[in-house]
């Protein structure tokens, strides 16, 4: 017999986990340039190509799963990444 979790508590736990994952993605030490034919080019924090695409999709305000034709390149030494968007 397991403990029943209150739906409000379950929502809070899930929201906290998503917030921690997002903050971790945006605090990555690497930098990458993500190039997309429709959305353009953006420099974002990079720990993997997937996280770079997720961060770029957040900047472009689209679903990262829809970005199938983006290219991830190493950023130039002087490139500064965009700041984490305030709202998703």
């Amino acid at each position: 017999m397991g403990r029943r979790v209150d739906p409000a508590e379950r929502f809070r736990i899930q929201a906290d986990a998503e917030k921690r994952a997002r903050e971790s993605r945006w605090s990555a030490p690497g930098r990458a340039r993500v190039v997309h034919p429709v959305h353009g080019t953006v420099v974002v924090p990079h720990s993997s190509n997937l996280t770079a695409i997720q961060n770029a999709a957040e900047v472009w305000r689209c679903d990262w799963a829809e970005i199938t034709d983006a290219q991830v390149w190493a950023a130039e030494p002087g490139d500064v990444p965009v700041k984490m968007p305030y709202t998703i």
Side-chain angles (χ1 to χ4, degrees), residues 26 30-46 49 51-62 67 70-76 79-85:
W26 279 95
R31 304 291 178 246
R33 175 179 286 124
V34 181
V35 180
H36 190 269
V38 175
H39 298 292
T41 301
V42 66
V43 176
V44 293
H46 174 274
N49 288 354
T51 60
I53 289 175
Q54 288 174 328
N55 288 345
E58 193 172 328
V59 171
W60 295 327
R61 298 178 187 263
C62 64
I67 300 176
Q71 296 179 343
V72 180
W73 300 93
E76 296 296 323
D79 287 347
V80 177
V82 297
K83 296 200 184 279
M84 180 172 66

Side-chain angles (χ1 to χ4, degrees), residues 18-35:
E18 290 172 3
K19 181 180 177 184
R20 283 191 308 272
R22 179 176 183 246
E23 289 172 355
S24 174
R25 234 183 30 241
W26 279 95
S27 65
R31 304 291 178 246
R33 175 179 286 124
V34 181
V35 180

